[in-house]
Amino acid sequence: VQLQASGGGLVQAGGSLRLSCSLSGRPFSSHVMAWFRQVPGKEREFVAAIRWGYATTTYSDSVKGRFTISRDRAENTVYLQMDNLKPEDTALYYCAKANSLSRGERDYRDWGQGTLVTVSS
């Protein structure tokens, strides 16, 4: 499965963006799709994840209540709706796929290219 992330851009603090991650094939119901982000010079950080079949979700504390992860099974696409964006959300955002629900980067074998989100103050 190949992943293609898109939707990044420049937005003012308090604004919204929606990221998309298109999959070249359909994941199994047990597979998990996630978003991570990385700022240059820092480690990649878990943002949110969703189980493909049952849509079980989990979020990092830093985005809980502001970001929403969802998936469209018909379109083989995962979304990250980001509301009330803050300058500290500025990062390169990656989508990834794993075999089980995890917040650990090492559990994700398939990665898309990053899409840049810049939040101005």
Side-chain angles (χ1 to χ4, degrees):
V1 176
Q2 294 185 336
L3 288 66
Q4 180 78 30
S6 62
L10 174 64
V11 64
Q12 289 187 334
S16 298
L17 277 177
R18 188 177 78 159
L19 305 183
S20 299
C21 178
S22 298
L23 286 68
S24 63
R26 181 167 296 175
F28 294 136
S29 294
S30 59
H31 285 166
V32 172
M33 300 301 303
W35 289 95
F36 286 77
R37 65 187 182 186
Q38 188 171 27
V39 175
K42 293 189 176 181
E43 293 185 354
R44 200 172 295 187
E45 174 192 17
F46 171 81
V47 175
I50 185 168
R51 193 181 298 278
W52 190 257
Y54 292 101
T56 308
T57 59
T58 185
Y59 297 90
S60 68
D61 289 342
S62 61
V63 307
K64 192 176 297 183
R66 300 187 298 120
F67 291 10
T68 304
I69 188 170
S70 62
R71 59 54 173 145
D72 185 326
R73 298 178 70 175
E75 296 293 328
N76 288 342
T77 301
V78 179
Y79 301 100
L80 185 68
Q81 177 66 40
M82 305 184 294
D83 299 318
N84 191 21
L85 282 160
K86 304 175 181 180
E88 52 263 42
D89 293 318
T90 295
L92 200 57
Y93 283 72
Y94 297 89
C95 58
K97 184 177 76 71
N99 291 331
S100 60
L101 194 61
S102 171
R103 298 185 176 208
E105 178 183 355
R106 294 182 178 182
D107 292 322
Y108 289 81
R109 298 275 185 98
D110 300 305
W111 292 82
Q113 90 293 354
T115 184
L116 181 63
V117 173
T118 304
V119 184
S120 62
S121 57

